Amino acid sequence: TATEINQFPLAIAFSVDEVNRNPDLLPNASLGFDLLEGDCKTVPQLYSLLHFPEGSLDIRPNYLCDEGSSCVLMLSGPTWTVSEIAGTYVNIYPFQTVIHLTYGPFSPILSDREQFPSVYQMAPQDIYLALAMVSLMLHFNWNWIGLAISDNDQGIQFLSYLRREMEKNTVCFAFVNMIPVKTHSYLSRAEVYYNQIMTSSTKVVVIYGDTDSTLAVSFRRWQSLGIQRIWVTTSQWDVTTWKSDFTLNSFHGTLVFAHHHAEISSFKTFVQTLNPLQYSDEYLARLEWMNLKCELSDSKCKTLKNCISNASLQWLKVQTFDMAFSDDSYVIYNAVYTLAHIFHEMLLQEVYSVSKEDGKGQYPQCYKIHSLLRKTQFTNPVGDRVNMNQKENLQEEYDIFYIWNFPHGLGLKVKIGEFSPHFPRDQQLHLYEDMIEHATGSR
């Protein structure tokens, strides 16, 4: 969505700014960043952007190192497709020269070290997501559930987890729509998927997959045609940011599972007082990303021009921009701090004084970053633990939100509960009954 994509550059700018203001991190150095030119890109456009000549260090995305370094740090996301494309492309370079961090949802494909040796996923694995969703179903006595997923490795793995948890608790599938990733295959069966939902008696449908996909096309079509269901999904599908003009009646809405993390309250102040012209990065400085009501058609967009030098975002209304960090923005925040901690450690070890002959092969800096990245652990400024050892699966916790859309892009988003696998089975799900009644007008 436009709002979500606009928030990612802000999340990077905020995180880098906070690191650079921290006297305990990189006291004699600063972080910087560059964003890919332009706004939203289609997959072919993304390929064209990434197909720059091998050996041309000055135009690689996203991070510029000093002239003596040939180490490239890249941050990609938020979808699996984008990160897989970027991860596949950078394989043409020597492994030691690229460090690729992703900020989208965890992907089992990207965790394949042989296929993607340079990729490090910042997002936690959703091992307990299926258990959390089934716990919610049991709480409301829902035992007849529809499912729509992307027909890819991520979707199939989630289906496996969800089927296992449902079978344990006698919750059944009314239907399973596996939406093809390829557009041609999808179009030939789009009406079948629509009819399957329309003719099913279930009122609860789980949605899981990439938000930039044929599944997203189906989801938006179903909603625009007025299909009223209780949608159960993840934070990537937070529909309060969608500017479609429809109303969900009482008893219908979207239940969203988001990774629990501490609130970053200073982000709101940062956004409201930000002067984009202070950044050298053209994407931020030109202010086009502040067009929060931009539709898919460029002809409908209005770009701010002739901005005064002391312009700020103080006028920005909270109603048109969610000041809370999304899951993906929070992952970006942790990615920036992870790199800051690694560079700080390298400075302490005086790695930069090591000659190429004394280091591990031709790229001592990159080799050291790879080595440190796999074992980096720290507590971020808001008190959450970050552990880059993906073999140590931390038990993720979820916040559960209820979302109700109104016309003209207005939305109500209420936290109605949380899920934690740390507690005994009958205490893992905790719902705020008063908030559910407040949000829906009924239980």
Side-chain angles (χ1 to χ4, degrees):
T1 66
T3 304
E4 187 179 47
I5 292 172
N6 291 331
Q7 192 183 61
F8 298 148
L10 290 174
I12 295 174
F14 168 77
S15 305
V16 169
D17 182 74
E18 190 174 270
V19 165
N20 290 338
R21 292 174 183 271
N22 188 337
D24 298 322
L25 271 178
L26 303 174
N28 297 319
S30 296
L31 291 181
F33 63 92
D34 285 302
L35 297 161
L36 281 178
E37 180 183 356
D39 303 312
C40 293
K41 298 295 177 188
T42 63
V43 170
Q45 287 173 325
L46 183 64
Y47 271 120
S48 67
L49 276 173
L50 290 177
H51 285 178
F52 34 72
E54 183 176 359
S56 180
L57 297 176
D58 58 333
I59 56 172
R60 291 180 181 177
N62 227 356
Y63 202 96
L64 300 178
C65 302
D66 60 69
E67 293 180 359
S69 171
S70 57
C71 185
V72 178
L73 287 93
M74 182 168 65
L75 185 63
S76 73
T79 65
W80 295 311
T81 303
V82 168
S83 293
E84 286 174 22
I85 291 172
T88 300
Y89 171 70
V90 298
N91 282 341
I92 69 174
Y93 295 97
F95 157 67
Q96 298 92 340
T97 65
V98 180
I99 291 91
H100 177 192
L101 276 64
T102 71
Y103 63 89
F106 188 90
S107 164
I109 295 178
L110 292 173
S111 63
D112 185 341
R113 188 55 66 190
E114 290 187 7
Q115 187 177 358
F116 299 102
S118 302
V119 171
Y120 298 87
Q121 299 191 74
M122 295 300 305
Q125 300 185 48
D126 279 319
I127 296 174
Y128 295 97
L129 177 61
L131 174 60
M133 287 185 172
V134 171
S135 298
L136 185 76
M137 297 171 191
L138 294 173
H139 178 86
F140 289 115
N141 296 316
W142 297 334
N143 58 7
W144 192 235
I145 308 299
L147 174 67
I149 59 173
S150 294
D151 189 3
N152 54 21
D153 288 350
Q154 291 88 345
I156 292 171
Q157 183 178 78
F158 175 73
L159 172 60
S160 174
Y161 289 154
L162 189 62
R163 190 188 301 276
R164 181 183 62 194
E165 295 300 332
M166 289 174 65
E167 289 177 349
K168 289 179 184 177
N169 297 280
T170 62
V171 179
C172 301
F173 285 119
F175 62 84
V176 176
N177 277 346
M178 299 182 68
I179 310 297
V181 175
K182 294 184 178 179
T183 305
H184 176 73
S185 300
Y186 162 71
L187 291 176
S188 66
R189 292 185 54 81
E191 203 64 28
V192 174
Y193 304 131
Y194 171 76
N195 291 333
Q196 205 162 21
I197 286 186
M198 285 297 294
T199 57
S200 173
S201 60
T202 182
K203 300 300 180 185
V204 181
V205 179
V206 176
I207 303 290
Y208 184 83
D210 248 348
T211 54
D212 183 15
S213 65
T214 50
L215 174 60
V217 174
S218 279
F219 188 31
R220 297 190 184 205
R221 178 171 182 256
W222 299 335
Q223 290 189 313
S224 66
L225 292 175
I227 297 181
Q228 295 181 345
R229 298 292 184 270
I230 299 174
W231 310 102
V232 181
T233 186
T234 58
S235 61
Q236 285 72 32
W237 296 80
D238 185 338
V239 294
T240 55
T241 61
W242 294 3
K243 301 304 179 185
S244 51
D245 187 6
F246 64 90
T247 304
L248 296 177
N249 293 333
S250 186
F251 310 113
H252 299 84
T254 304
L255 289 162
V256 169
F257 284 76
H259 288 286
H260 175 77
H261 56 76
E263 181 182 355
I264 304 180
S265 57
S266 53
F267 179 62
K268 178 178 179 179
T269 302
F270 173 82
V271 171
Q272 289 180 326
T273 59
L274 174 66
N275 178 4
L277 300 182
Q278 74 189 40
Y279 289 94
S280 59
D281 186 88
E282 182 182 356
Y283 184 77
L284 282 173
R286 69 190 180 186
L287 274 178
E288 284 186 6
W289 48 268
M290 281 311 302
N291 179 28
L292 300 184
K293 294 197 174 187
C294 182
E295 299 286 341
L296 293 179
S297 172
D298 290 339
S299 62
K300 295 183 181 180
C301 296
K302 295 180 181 179
T303 304
L304 294 175
K305 296 180 179 179
N306 303 320
C307 296
I308 57 176
S309 59
N310 63 348
S312 73
L313 307 185
Q314 187 63 47
W315 51 270
L316 187 63
K317 295 182 179 179
V318 176
Q319 286 87 345
T320 61
F321 188 82
D322 190 351
M323 293 292 183
F325 254 32
S326 66
D327 270 9
D328 292 333
S329 293
Y330 186 71
V331 171
I332 291 174
Y333 182 77
N334 283 336
V336 171
Y337 268 94
T338 297
L339 294 175
H341 278 273
I342 290 172
F343 295 148
H344 187 80
E345 179 65 23
M346 292 174 69
L347 287 173
L348 291 177
Q349 296 179 12
E350 296 182 346
V351 172
Y352 289 111
S353 66
V354 179
S355 68
K356 291 184 178 180
E357 291 73 24
D358 295 332
K360 297 284 187 177
Q362 188 179 359
Y363 308 100
Q365 290 90 342
C366 277
Y367 186 93
K368 188 63 177 178
I369 293 174
H370 276 289
S371 176
L372 291 172
L373 193 51
R374 298 188 191 101
K375 55 188 178 183
T376 295
Q377 300 183 43
F378 62 93
T379 300
N380 69 16
V382 292
D384 289 341
R385 191 70 182 162
V386 178
N387 185 354
M388 290 302 297
N389 186 345
Q390 294 181 351
K391 293 182 179 180
E392 298 179 9
N393 295 319
L394 299 177
Q395 292 189 334
E396 68 266 21
E397 297 179 339
Y398 295 93
D399 291 331
I400 306 170
F401 295 91
Y402 177 82
I403 296 173
W404 193 7
N405 268 17
F406 297 96
H408 311 298
L410 300 177
L412 174 69
K413 181 177 179 179
V414 179
K415 181 178 176 180
I416 62 166
E418 47 198 46
F419 176 88
S420 174
H422 296 294
F423 298 110
R425 192 71 176 233
D426 59 343
Q427 301 175 24
Q428 292 175 340
L429 180 71
H430 178 65
L431 296 181
Y432 315 140
E433 300 293 344
D434 56 333
M435 295 307 295
I436 295 175
E437 291 186 15
H438 169 72
T440 64
S442 171
R443 196 178 181 281

